[in-house]
């Protein structure tokens, strides 16, 4: 019984919830209009409905003219004509002014919501919302409908005009015949039917948001310049078009079915209103025949009925327009209310000028998943150390980088810097001391100076700082080859824009990361993936050994190029989100575990594919550690600083337990070489990510 009572109350709760959402949407639209332009907003909100009330006086003027003519009352005829003329001219001119003012206001409201939507997506402290399907679907609906924010205000005004028109007609009809005052109420069933149809369509649109997002992604694949080569090479045009059509049908068929279902209710509402209108005209006709009413009253009722018919004709799309706009606003408010977790907002606590970066029991799980992508992890990154992170695809490398950058909230555990718990520090404060070049680096289609200068907004206009960053990243040759130098407009979408190769774009991204001249932490996720061997060697000279001015900077490099990682002070091997090995290059080779296996396989692949006559003997990477060379390499390791002391528990245990010796490939072992020689001359030893 209790369950049945609770179920019976659910529809009422749903209606109250929708009513609250509608009121919240109306408050937001009106408040935004007043915020962006108070005078125009008040003028439109007051003037437009008032005009529709005043316009009803046209029917009164015409009634006076008809009664004056039939009763031979010239004064009444003149009064009616003057009233009709004044009202018509006033309404026409004032409506034109109100329309122009409203159009300007709509544009400003649309721009304001665009700005707010950009901030909603880009301002949160973390990026976890980009891994939440619910957030992505809602954001996709809002992006597709964002033009409705400006027109939503227009829909609100037009519906207010409709209400004012009905009120004016209601008052005048009541004077003609009290029963006729009920005529505007017969619009209610039609309005309810339109509302129900709009709700069905909106629910179908939300259900099809994922398919719409997929459709737009397919459209981008077929029209964007980046995938154009593969689309043509593999003749994907027809396949993409077919999938685009299927995604469209998946999203649109339920929408059209919902619209057709609601059409029956709308048709019933029209029949009810039409019957009431015919009954009203019959009443006034009988009063004229009986002599209790005048011909002018008949004309008045006829004109007001015509106005009601016009209002009712537009009622469907006006209410649907408003319903859709308010639904869009409610979706926007869902993004506003999206939980961001507990984020420290205070910026009063400063960070130590230097210190170790320590992870204690850190883990992270992406939204919608049960298995952690990383952790638990215990790791110490000493001040001034260069740390390389390696592992297979899905090992958790990029997740680790995001956590170190403060871009994702910790699931469990804590991260400290110099003993200060970063959960007590605002993410903005921490990230101000972090610089990075991510694997999926951004290609800012701006002038070169700005594309690089964005790495430090305070120095955006400092061209000397931009040049210095370009030199430090080994990207000076990119600018030297451009006709306009730092002023060159990047991006093929601009008429005079210049496109760059993948390697050149990556060099600019690296230069952008060098704009912060005194970082606490440098994060490089596959920094040499698009670079040639010479550029890679230049990068290593700048990053893998800290200079005296930045001896406290911690550098973390994620890479599959073992010519890069072998020179790090500390190498962290990830597998399944856990640290399985920890140590220097020489130590990990001697341990003959996972790292030694990966290094041997990658080096062997490079040795087999490189022409022997074209590779100097001293530049060939070490293929395997032979028993007789282990002692020599161990002695060499004594001269290489061990840049980390692994924390106890997980990392320490993994590092102290040697893995089984991998099966060595039957390839002849070249002479061992120093880390610096291999890093500078071996080129790109690629591996799977």
């Amino acid at each position: 019984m209790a369950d049945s009572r609770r179920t019976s109350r659910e529809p009422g709760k749903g209606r109250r919830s929708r009513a609250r959402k509608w009121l919240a949407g109306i408050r937001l639209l009106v408040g935004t209009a007043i915020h962006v332009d108070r005078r125009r907003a008040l003028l439109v909100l007051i003037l437009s409905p008032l005009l529709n009330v005043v316009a009803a006086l046209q029917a009164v003027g015409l009634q006076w003219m008809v009664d004056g003519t039939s009763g031979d009352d010239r004064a009444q005829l003149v009064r009616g004509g003057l009233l009709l003329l004044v009202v018509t001219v006033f309404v026409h001119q004032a409506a034109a002014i109100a329309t122009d003012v409203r159009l300007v206001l709509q544009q400003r409201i649309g721009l304001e919501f665009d700005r707010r939507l950009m901030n909603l997506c880009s301002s949160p402290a973390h990026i976890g919302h980009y891994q939440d399907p619910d957030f992505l679907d809602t954001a996709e609906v809002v992006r597709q409908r964002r033009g409705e924010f400006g027109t939503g205000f227009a829909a609100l005004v037009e519906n207010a005009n409709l209400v004012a028109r009905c009120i004016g007609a209601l008052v005048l009809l009541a004077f003609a015949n009290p029963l006729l005052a009920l005529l505007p109420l017969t619009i209610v069933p039609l309005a309810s039917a339109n509302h129900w149809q709009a709700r069905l369509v909106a629910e179908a649109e939300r259900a099809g948001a994922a398919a719409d997002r997929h459709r737009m992604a397919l459209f981008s694949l077929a029209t964007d310049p980046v995938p154009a080569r593969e689309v043509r090479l593999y003749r994907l045009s027809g396949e993409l078009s077919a999938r685009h059509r299927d995604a469209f049908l998946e999203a649109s068929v339920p929408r059209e079915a919902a619209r057709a279902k609601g059409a029956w209710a709308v048709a019933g509402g029209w029949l009810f209103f039409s019957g009431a209108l015919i009954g009203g005209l019959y009443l006034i006709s009988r009063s004229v025949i009986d002599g209790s009413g005048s011909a002018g009253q008949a004309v008045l009722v006829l004109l007001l009925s015509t106005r009601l018919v016009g209002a009712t004709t537009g009622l469907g799309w006006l209410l649907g327009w408003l319903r859709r706009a308010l639904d869009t606003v409610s979706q926007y408010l869902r993004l506003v209310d999206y939980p961001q977790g507990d984020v420290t907002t205070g910026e009063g606590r400063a960070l130590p000028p230097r210190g170790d970066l320590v992870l204690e029991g850190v883990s992270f799980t992406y939204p919608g998943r049960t298995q952690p992508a990383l952790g638990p992890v215990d790791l110490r990154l000493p001040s001034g150390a260069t740390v390389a992170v390696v592992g297979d695809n899905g090992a958790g490398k990029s997740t680790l980088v995001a956590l170190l950058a403060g871009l994702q909230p910790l699931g469990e555990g804590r991260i400290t810097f110099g003993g200060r718990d970063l959960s007590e520090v605002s993410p903005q404060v921490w990230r101000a001391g972090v610089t990075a070049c991510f694997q999926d680096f951004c290609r800012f289609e701006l002038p070169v100076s700005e594309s690089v200068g964005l790495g430090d907004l305070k120095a955006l206009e400092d061209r000397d700082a931009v040049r210095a960053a370009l030199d430090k990243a080994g990207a000076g040759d990119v600018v030297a080859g451009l006709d306009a130098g730092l002023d060159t407009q990047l991006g093929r979408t601009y008429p005079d824009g210049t496109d760059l190769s993948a390697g050149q774009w990556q060099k600019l991204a690296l230069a952008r990361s060098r704009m912060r001249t005194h970082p606490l932490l440098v994060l490089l996720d596959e920094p040499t993936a698009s670079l040639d061997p010479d550029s890679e060697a230049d990068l290593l000279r700048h990053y893998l050994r800290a200079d005296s001015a930045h001896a406290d900077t911690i550098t973390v490099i994620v890479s599959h190029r073992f010519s890069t990682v072998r020179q790090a002070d500390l190498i962290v091997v990830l597998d399944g989100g856990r640290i399985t090995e920890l140590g220097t290059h020489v130590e990990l080779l001697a341990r003959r575990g996972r790292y030694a296996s990966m290094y041997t396989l990658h080096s062997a692949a490079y040795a087999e594919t490189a022409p022997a006559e074209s590779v100097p003997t001293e530049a060939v990477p070490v293929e395997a550690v032979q028993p007789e060379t282990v002692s020599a390499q161990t002695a060499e390791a004594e001269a290489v600083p061990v840049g980390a002391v692994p924390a106890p528990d997980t990392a320490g245990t993994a590092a102290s337990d040697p893995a089984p010796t991998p099966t060595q490939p039957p390839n002849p072992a070249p002479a061992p070489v120093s880390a610096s020689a291999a890093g500078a001359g071996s080129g790109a030893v690629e591996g799977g990510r």
Side-chain angles (χ1 to χ4, degrees):
M1 180 68 69
D3 290 341
S4 63
R5 285 198 302 267
R6 185 164 52 249
T7 303
S8 65
R9 287 197 298 266
E10 286 301 323
K13 290 182 179 179
R15 285 191 293 270
R16 288 194 296 271
S17 176
R18 286 194 297 271
R20 285 194 296 269
K21 290 180 181 179
W22 276 45
L23 289 175
I26 291 172
R27 286 197 302 268
L28 181 61
L29 284 175
V30 174
T32 303
I34 294 175
H35 171 73
V36 298
D37 196 327
R38 179 182 297 272
R39 288 182 298 178
R40 282 190 171 89
L42 294 177
L43 181 63
V44 171
L45 290 171
I46 295 173
L47 181 60
S48 291
L50 181 61
L51 290 177
N52 281 272
V53 173
V54 173
L57 295 177
Q58 291 174 314
V60 175
L62 194 55
Q63 177 192 3
W64 288 355
M65 291 180 64
V66 172
D67 286 342
T69 302
S70 60
D72 198 18
D73 188 343
R74 185 170 301 180
Q76 187 177 21
L77 175 62
V78 172
R79 285 197 304 271
L82 288 175
L83 179 61
L84 180 62
L85 177 63
V86 171
V87 170
T88 301
V89 172
F90 172 75
V91 169
H92 182 273
Q93 295 300 319
I97 295 173
T99 300
D100 290 341
V101 171
R102 193 189 69 193
L103 289 175
V104 174
L105 190 58
Q106 285 178 215
Q107 293 176 344
R108 296 188 178 184
I109 293 172
L111 290 174
E112 174 65 15
F113 272 104
D114 275 355
R115 184 188 65 80
R116 293 182 184 182
L117 183 59
M118 292 168 65
N119 288 333
L120 270 178
C121 293
S122 62
S123 294
H126 301 129
I127 59 172
H129 51 291
Y130 286 122
Q131 280 88 37
D132 188 342
D134 182 59
F135 179 91
L136 293 176
D137 287 344
T138 304
E140 180 62 26
V141 170
V142 175
R143 273 197 295 265
Q144 288 188 15
R145 298 186 188 175
R146 72 182 192 275
E148 296 177 11
F149 288 118
T151 59
F153 180 75
L156 182 63
V157 171
E158 288 300 327
N159 278 271
N161 293 342
L162 177 65
V163 172
R165 191 177 308 170
C166 291
I167 290 175
L170 173 66
V171 172
L172 295 178
L173 286 172
F175 280 108
N177 189 319
L179 289 177
L180 295 178
L182 301 176
L183 188 60
L185 299 180
T186 60
I187 301 176
V188 173
L190 179 58
S192 299
N194 278 287
H195 169 69
W196 184 63
Q197 183 189 45
R199 182 165 60 84
L200 291 178
V201 173
E203 290 174 353
E205 286 179 340
R206 282 194 295 272
D212 268 332
R213 186 150 46 89
H214 180 52
R215 175 178 60 84
M216 294 304 298
L218 292 169
F219 181 81
S220 296
L221 281 176
T223 57
D224 287 354
V226 175
R229 296 181 180 88
E230 293 195 45
V231 168
R232 282 156 180 77
L233 178 64
Y234 299 119
R235 302 171 65 183
L236 301 179
S237 176
E239 179 69 18
L240 293 177
S241 297
R243 296 191 179 202
H244 181 274
R245 182 183 63 252
D246 293 341
F248 171 77
L249 292 176
E250 182 181 351
S252 64
V253 169
R255 267 198 310 262
E256 297 307 317
R259 187 172 285 109
K261 183 178 180 180
W264 290 102
V266 173
W270 268 110
L271 286 175
F272 181 77
F273 174 75
S274 300
L277 182 59
I278 293 172
L281 293 175
Y282 173 76
L283 286 176
I284 197 64
S285 300
R286 285 291 303 270
S287 66
V288 173
I289 294 173
D290 295 342
S292 58
S294 67
Q297 285 181 321
V299 171
L300 174 70
V301 172
L302 183 61
L303 288 178
L304 292 177
S305 299
T306 303
R307 286 175 60 83
L308 286 176
V309 170
T312 307
T313 302
L315 177 67
W317 69 268
L318 277 177
L319 284 178
W321 184 16
L322 179 61
R323 172 68 176 82
R324 183 179 175 88
L326 292 179
D327 183 72
T328 302
V329 174
S330 69
Q331 297 296 315
Y332 166 81
L333 290 175
R334 286 185 64 190
L335 299 182
V336 173
D337 296 334
Y338 183 82
Q340 297 296 333
D342 296 329
V343 179
T344 301
T345 57
E347 299 187 5
R349 302 203 65 182
L351 289 166
R354 58 163 293 167
D356 296 350
L357 187 62
V358 181
L359 289 75
E360 301 176 8
V362 169
S363 66
F364 179 78
T365 303
Y366 286 101
R369 300 183 185 178
T370 56
Q371 289 295 111
L374 182 73
V377 167
D378 295 279
L379 180 65
R380 179 182 296 275
L381 309 180
S383 175
T386 298
V387 181
V389 181
V390 299
D392 293 330
N393 292 335
K397 303 184 297 296
S398 294
T399 302
L400 176 61
V401 169
L403 290 174
L404 291 176
L407 297 174
Q408 294 281 17
L410 292 181
E412 295 179 359
R414 69 172 190 156
I415 300 178
T416 63
F417 178 77
R420 176 68 49 77
D421 192 335
L422 294 184
S423 66
E424 301 174 357
V425 179
S426 169
Q428 286 77 12
V429 172
W430 168 243
R431 287 200 289 263
V434 178
T435 189
C437 180
F438 297 105
Q439 181 182 15
D440 48 351
F441 55 86
C442 189
R443 304 186 181 196
F444 290 104
E445 295 189 348
L446 300 167
V448 173
S449 61
E450 296 181 13
S451 183
V452 174
L454 288 175
D456 186 1
L457 290 176
K458 297 187 297 295
L460 181 61
E461 304 296 331
D462 190 343
R463 296 172 74 88
D464 291 336
V466 171
R467 292 190 184 94
L470 288 165
D471 291 339
K472 291 176 183 178
D477 60 321
V478 176
V479 180
L482 301 175
D483 294 337
L486 293 178
D487 297 320
T488 302
Q489 173 65 54
L490 300 177
R492 69 183 73 192
T493 58
Y494 291 90
D496 57 344
T498 299
D499 196 20
L500 303 177
S501 67
Q504 290 173 320
W505 278 113
Q506 187 163 35
K507 284 185 177 182
L508 293 188
L510 286 165
R512 192 159 52 246
S513 72
R514 299 292 278 179
M515 284 295 296
R516 294 184 174 179
T517 55
H518 299 88
L520 302 174
L521 175 65
V522 176
L523 298 170
L524 303 173
D525 192 356
E526 294 290 355
T528 62
S530 302
L531 302 185
D532 54 73
D534 290 339
S535 298
E536 178 189 7
D538 189 51
L539 173 74
L540 301 181
R541 283 196 296 271
H542 286 295
Y543 278 108
L544 294 185
R545 288 295 177 264
D547 55 42
S548 58
H550 309 112
D552 300 332
T553 297
I554 301 171
T555 301
V556 177
I557 299 181
V558 176
S559 180
H560 287 103
R561 294 190 177 187
F562 282 84
S563 58
T564 300
V565 303
R566 62 174 291 166
Q567 299 188 57
D569 299 321
L570 177 68
I571 299 174
V572 180
V573 182
L574 286 177
D575 186 20
R578 302 289 189 94
I579 296 178
T580 58
E581 293 180 293
L582 196 68
T584 65
H585 171 73
V586 173
E587 290 171 344
L588 294 179
L589 285 182
R591 191 169 294 143
R592 296 178 179 272
R594 176 61 179 158
Y595 176 82
S597 176
M598 290 190 298
Y599 182 81
T600 300
L601 291 174
H602 292 179
S603 299
Y606 176 80
E608 291 173 357
T609 56
E613 65 275 13
S614 64
V615 180
T617 303
E618 65 273 17
V620 178
V622 178
E623 177 183 318
V625 179
Q626 302 299 328
E628 61 269 21
T629 63
V630 170
S631 60
Q633 292 184 352
T634 305
E636 179 187 354
E638 295 176 356
V640 179
V642 179
V645 179
D649 304 329
T650 304
T653 303
S656 62
D657 296 334
T661 302
T663 303
Q664 305 294 337
N667 295 311
V673 297
S674 66
S676 59
S682 63
V685 181
E686 298 287 0
R689 178 169 174 78

